[in-house]
Structures are given as structure tokens and as C-alpha cells.
Amino acid sequence: MKGRAKIPRPTVKRLSLYLRELESRAVRQPRTISSRQLGAALGLTDAQVRKDLAHFGQFGHPGIGYRFDELMTELRRILGTDRSWNAVVVGAGNIGRAVVSYGRLEGKGFCIKSVFDVDPAIVGTTINGHVVHPVDELTDRVSADEAEIGMVAVPAEVAQPVADALVDAGVRGLLNFAPVRLRVAPDVAIVSVDLTVSLEQLAYKIALGLTGETAEANGDAHQ
Ligand code: NAI
């Protein structure tokens, strides 16, 4: 595989879309798909599909196209979803509860091991089978859980110290829901989820007439 660090973010986003499309066709025959078919399903050209996949090697077979199982395996490997990831959630308010209650993360390889909060009224309660632990136990539990992902679902003003505590405890990546830019060491991965930014992007797209699936697949939406 060529240097993954240099892969454009819209390409990486499209890999997830390719995988989702292939998974949605999981029971269909034949078990092959051409770049034209895959592109057409997502509003992309076949050249775009081939260019995206070429970043990672040669998966296609002349005259056959891509073999489903082979391409899904490769895409999962590239995206890092061919293995399971242990995660913890800090903040068991509206967002934290919604994440912990979402039943499909585990099926996608993301296993929530522990949930933390500071509020004595919340600590000790159970969300979707997870007891909420006091945040003082974060360091010990992250280590015991072998958690590599920390989800930050606390108010903005405490998001940085919570992120620092997670990183010190050993997580390698943060999913940040707080509306604040977190500072992390270069070896820590971070992805922020911000509904407001997404809504602003949507308003911008409506205003500019950037409509339809093509604009989405081309990475015009938020990263
Ligand atoms: P919330 O107030 O319902 O929940 C926050 C929880 O964090 C509370 O249970 C609180 O006790 C806990 N908490 C506070 N300090 C803590 C600490 N030091 N350690 C552990 N837990 C602590 O808030 P909500 O609505 O769940 O929002 C959470 C965060 O997500 C906020 O930063 C909010 O601005 C943001 N947010 C993000 C959205 C998005 O699209 N990403 C949408 C809405 C909110």
C-alpha cells in the first residue's frame, strides 16, 4: 500500500461509502461488481472509483471487476474495521447516553467497555447494560479495558482536561463531541463530530445548489 498518510480525506470517506454499498449488496449475486456499477450506485464516475482504490493497490480483475469478498476485506483492512476496538465514553448526558444506547456499534467492531461521569446522580445508574462509573476511575479502567478510543461527551469547558486524562490513560484516538478544538499530541488521532458544523454545511450546500448524492460522495460534506 502506498503511504496512507497522504490519502486525501474525501477518498477515505468514499472508502466507507464503497464498503457500505458492498455490505448492502451482501446477499446479491453475482459476487462481483465493476467500478462503473459501484460508481453509479454512489453517483461517481468509474474513473473516480478506480483512482480511489488505486491508492491502496490493485484489487480489480480484468473482465471481472472487483470480487465482493476480496474488496470488502481490503476496505475493512484499510479502514481499520477488520478488528474490534475497545472504547470508553466520558460524559453520560444526552450525547453520551445516546452513543451508549446505540445498539449497532458493536456489530461494527466498536465495543464500549466503560462509561464515566462526575454527577453523583448519574454515577451508578445503568445505560444499556453499562454501569456509569465515577470519572476518578478513568485511568484504571481505561487501562484494564485496553481501550484505544475515548469519546468526549462532556461540556466544552472540561473537554480538554477530559481529553488529556484519556490520552494519559492510554487511548490512541478521541471522538470529540464537544464544540471545542482539542489539543493533542501528534500521535493521537482525533475526529470531531459537530452537528452545528454539519447543519451549516448543509445550509451552504442548499444555498449553492450542491444537491444530490454526487456532491456527498465527492466529499463536499463535512469531514
Ligand atoms: P449534558 O450536559 O447532557 O451531558 C454532559 C455530561 O458530562 C453530564 O452528565 C455531566 O455530568 C458530565 N460531565 C461534566 N464534567 C465532567 C467531567 N469532568 N468528567 C466526566 N463527566 C463530566 O450535555 P450533552 O447535551 O450530552 O452534550 C455533551 C457535549 O456535546 C457538550 O460539549 C455539547 O456542547 C456537545 N454537543 C455536541 C453535539 C454534536 O453534534 N456533537 C450536539 C449537542 C451537544
Side-chain angles (χ1 to χ4, degrees), residues 89-98 116-120 122 132-136 138 152-159 161-162 176-180 192-198:
V89 176
V90 188
N94 297 310
I95 298 277
R97 271 201 309 272
F116 304 95
D117 205 287
V118 278
D119 186 342
I122 295 177
V132 181
H133 299 291
V135 77
D136 318 346
L138 188 145
V152 179
V154 295
E157 55 274 19
V158 293
V162 161
N176 175 35
F177 290 96
V180 60
S192 292
V193 181
D194 193 324
L195 273 185
T196 313
V197 170
S198 298

Side-chain angles (χ1 to χ4, degrees), residues 71-174:
L71 187 53
M72 285 199 288
T73 301
E74 278 304 320
L75 288 171
R76 288 187 183 122
R77 189 181 58 76
I78 293 163
L79 291 167
T81 54
D82 58 341
R83 47 158 290 190
S84 61
W85 296 85
N86 289 346
V88 298
V89 176
V90 188
N94 297 310
I95 298 277
R97 271 201 309 272
V99 170
V100 177
S101 303
Y102 182 61
R104 296 199 180 159
L105 286 181
E106 196 140 352
K108 293 281 179 188
F110 300 100
C111 180
I112 294 176
K113 303 295 277 187
S114 295
V115 185
F116 304 95
D117 205 287
V118 278
D119 186 342
I122 295 177
V123 169
T125 61
T126 302
I127 308 166
N128 195 21
H130 294 276
V131 175
V132 181
H133 299 291
V135 77
D136 318 346
E137 295 181 7
L138 188 145
T139 304
D140 289 346
R141 287 193 182 273
V142 165
S143 163
D145 290 342
E146 298 184 336
E148 292 178 83
I149 292 176
M151 304 195 213
V152 179
V154 295
E157 55 274 19
V158 293
Q160 185 65 55
V162 161
D164 293 342
L166 283 164
V167 171
D168 288 348
V171 307
R172 299 168 54 214
L174 298 170

